[in-house]
C-alpha cells in the first residue's frame, strides 16, 4: 500500500471516529419516562415534579374505562384507553404549579380526577 493511500485511510478512520465521538458527546440525554395510572377516579401519582426545559414522556395506562389527560397550561392532552399505553411528550416551558385533569367523563367522581405538575428551574 503506498503512503498516499495510508494517509487517506488514516484520515478517513480519524474522521469517522470523530463523528461518532461527537455524536455521543453532544447527544441529548434520554427522556425520562414517568408512569401514570388512571383509575376511577384518580391519577397516580397525583403530583408530578419536572424541571423547566427538560423533556419527559408521560406513559398512561388504565384498566377501568376510557379517560383523558389534559394539562391546559402546556397545551397537551391525550386519550387513555383501557389495555393500551398512551404516550405524551412534554417539555415544560415555564415554572410553577399547574393543574392536570381528566377531560372525558368517566363516571361519578370524575369531577375530582385531577393532579398537579410542579415545574422548577
Amino acid at each position: 500500500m503506498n503512503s498516499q493511500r495510508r494517509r487517506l485511510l488514516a484520515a478517513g478512520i480519524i474522521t469517522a471516529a470523530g463523528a461518532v465521538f461527537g455524536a455521543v458527546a453532544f447527544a441529548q440525554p434520554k427522556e425520562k419516562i414517568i408512569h401514570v395510572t388512571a383509575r376511577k377516579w384518580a391519577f397516580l401519582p397525583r403530583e408530578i415534579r419536572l424541571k423547566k426545559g427538560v423533556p419527559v414522556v408521560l406513559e398512561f395506562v388504565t384498566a377501568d374505562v376510557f379517560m383523558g389527560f389534559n394539562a391546559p397550561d402546556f397545551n397537551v392532552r391525550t386519550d387513555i384507553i383501557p389495555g393500551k399505553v398512551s404516550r405524551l411528550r412534554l417539555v415544560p416551558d415555564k415554572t410553577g404549579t399547574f393543574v392536570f385533569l381528566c377531560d372525558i367523563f368517566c363516571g361519578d367522581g370524575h369531577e375530582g380526577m385531577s393532579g398537579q405538575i410542579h415545574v422548577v428551574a
Side-chain angles (χ1 to χ4, degrees):
M1 194 185 264
N2 68 31
S3 64
Q4 186 175 4
R5 279 188 169 173
R6 287 184 191 158
R7 276 185 266 164
L8 286 174
L9 181 61
I13 291 171
I14 290 170
T15 301
V20 169
F21 175 75
V24 170
F26 295 108
Q28 299 240 345
K30 189 172 182 180
E31 294 172 335
K32 179 179 178 181
I33 296 174
I34 299 173
H35 300 277
V36 180
T37 301
R39 63 182 179 116
K40 292 182 183 175
W41 287 271
F43 288 103
L44 298 175
R46 291 181 188 266
E47 294 188 10
I48 300 172
R49 300 191 184 282
L50 304 175
K51 290 186 179 179
K52 180 181 175 184
V54 177
V56 297
V57 174
L58 302 174
E59 287 192 349
F60 299 92
V61 295
T62 185
D64 293 334
V65 297
F66 192 83
M67 298 182 198
F69 173 89
N70 190 348
D73 292 302
F74 297 105
N75 198 31
V76 295
R77 79 158 310 279
T78 190
D79 293 330
I80 308 169
I81 302 167
K84 294 189 176 188
V85 176
S86 298
R87 290 177 181 83
L88 178 69
R89 185 174 190 272
L90 172 63
V91 182
D93 59 353
K94 52 194 154 210
T95 60
T97 299
F98 309 94
V99 173
F100 63 84
L101 53 98
C102 177
D103 63 354
I104 296 175
F105 182 75
C106 54
D108 290 336
H110 161 78
E111 61 280 351
M113 191 170 173
S114 63
Q116 295 183 329
I117 299 174
H118 303 282
V119 182
V120 296

